[in-house]
Amino acid sequence: MTDTQDSLLDQGEDAGRDERVPEPGREHLSVTVALAVGAAASLAGVLVSLYSLAGMSDGLDDTGVVILANSLFSPVIVAVFAGAVGGLAAARLPGPRIGLTVAGFAVVGLVGGVAAYLAFRVDAGIALALALVLFGSTLLGGALTLTRHRLPVAAGLSAAFVLLLMMFARGFIDASQVSLWSDPLDQYGALGAAAPFAAGLICGFLAYVFLRKADAGARLPGYLFAGALPGAIWLMSTIITQVGVEVVLALGVDQISSLDSAFLSLSFQWQYNGSMTVLFGGAVCAVLAYGLLTPKPDKNN
C-alpha cells in the first residue's frame, strides 16, 4: 500500500470521527436524573403546600375553595414540567420511543392525580376535578417530548427548571404571594415588566449553552425551540389553570365576590403577560446567541 493510500485512509477515518455526534439517549444522564429528582420533589412539594394552604378535614367552605382556586397555578405548572420530564426520562429506556414516552408521562400524571384526589377526597367533586386537571397537565406537558430530537427538549426543560427556581425564590421572598410569580399588584410596575424579560433572557442563554456543550449538531430551529420552551410551558400552564379555576369555582362556590373575581382577572392577566414575555425573550436570546456566539466554519478549509 502506498503512502498516498495510507493518507487517504487516515483522512477517511478522521472524517468519520468528526461526523459522529453524541447520542441523546446516552449523553447527559446526570442532567436527566437531576431533572427527574427536581420534578418529583417539586410535584410533591406543591401538593403538600396546596393541602396545607387550602385543605380542610371536614370539607372546603367557600373561603377554602377560593384559596384553592387562587393557588392552582403552582401545581399546574409543576405538573406540566413533571410530565415533560417523565416523558424525556422514559424515552431513554430500551424499546419503542413513542410508547415509552407516553407511558412515562402517563405514569407521572396518574401519580399526581391520585395524590391530589386523596388529599382532597373529603370533597369528592373538587378532588376529582383537581385530579383531572393535574393529570391533563402532565399529558400536555409530556406531549412536548414526543419530538424525535430530544436534546433541544432537554435543553429547554433545564432552562424551565431554572425558571421554576426563580419563581419559587420570588414567591419565598414575597410572602404576600398566593401562587408562583403571580402578584397582580406589580404587573404594571418596573419589576413586573422587567423580571419576566430578564428571566426569559436567562432561560434562552442557558438553553443555548446546553446545546453548545452537547455538541450534537443542533440547528437554528432546535435553539429556537429550546429557548422558547420555558415560556411555552408557562403559557400552557396559565391556560390550563384558567380552565381549572372555572371548574373548581363552579363546583364549590355558588357566587364569587367581585373582589375575588377582580383579583383572579389581574392574576391571569399577569400570567399571560409574563409567559409571553419569557417565551419571546428566551427565543430571541437563544437565536441571537446562536448567530453571534457560534463559531463560523472556516471557508478556507
Side-chain angles (χ1 to χ4, degrees):
M1 185 177 293
T2 64
D3 293 341
T4 302
Q5 290 173 323
D6 290 338
S7 177
L8 291 174
L9 286 175
D10 291 340
Q11 291 177 4
E13 291 177 359
D14 291 339
R17 284 193 294 269
D18 290 341
E19 291 174 357
R20 296 191 188 103
V21 296
E23 297 181 15
R26 297 181 179 179
E27 297 294 326
H28 308 293
L29 177 61
S30 59
V31 173
T32 304
V33 172
L35 288 174
V37 172
S42 299
L43 187 59
V46 293
L47 288 177
V48 171
S49 176
L50 185 65
Y51 179 76
S52 300
L53 183 64
M56 298 179 181
S57 58
D58 56 349
L60 297 176
D61 57 15
D62 288 354
T63 301
V65 173
V66 172
I67 292 175
L68 176 64
N70 285 330
S71 307
L72 193 58
F73 174 75
S74 303
V76 166
I77 190 173
V78 171
V80 172
F81 173 75
V85 172
L88 182 69
R92 300 178 63 93
L93 300 174
R97 179 183 60 83
I98 295 180
L100 288 171
T101 301
V102 172
F105 61 72
V107 168
V108 174
L110 287 174
V111 171
V114 169
Y117 181 85
L118 293 177
F120 292 89
R121 63 184 179 275
V122 176
D123 297 279
I126 292 178
L128 180 60
L130 181 60
L132 291 176
V133 167
L134 294 186
F135 180 69
S137 299
T138 58
L139 294 185
L140 291 176
L144 296 172
T145 63
L146 291 175
T147 175
R148 185 176 64 178
H149 302 289
R150 298 196 302 274
L151 272 176
V153 176
L157 290 179
S158 300
F161 185 60
V162 174
L163 177 64
L164 287 179
L165 292 178
M166 287 188 287
M167 288 180 167
F168 276 115
R170 181 177 177 187
F172 180 79
I173 293 172
D174 188 358
S176 64
Q177 291 199 178
V178 296
S179 62
L180 295 180
W181 217 344
S182 61
D183 185 357
L185 300 179
D186 70 356
Q187 63 177 324
Y188 297 114
L191 179 62
F197 185 70
L201 295 180
I202 293 172
C203 290
F205 185 73
L206 289 176
Y208 166 79
V209 171
F210 184 103
L211 289 175
R212 283 296 301 160
K213 292 293 184 182
D215 192 23
R219 299 183 181 274
L220 180 61
Y223 285 89
L224 177 64
F225 177 85
L229 187 57
I233 289 177
W234 188 354
L235 179 60
M236 181 187 301
S237 303
T238 303
I239 297 173
I240 298 171
T241 302
Q242 190 166 18
V243 174
V245 165
E246 294 295 334
V247 173
V248 168
L249 291 177
L251 290 173
V253 180
D254 293 331
Q255 185 176 2
I256 186 173
S257 68
S258 57
L259 181 61
D260 290 329
S261 180
F263 182 84
L264 285 171
S265 297
L266 287 173
S267 295
F268 282 119
Q269 184 176 350
W270 158 251
Q271 298 288 2
Y272 282 116
N273 291 341
S275 62
M276 288 186 287
T277 300
V278 170
L279 192 156
F280 175 78
V284 169
C285 182
V287 170
L288 289 178
Y290 175 81
L292 297 176
L293 301 180
T294 303
K296 303 298 187 296
D298 189 355
K299 298 181 179 179
N300 295 325
N301 292 335

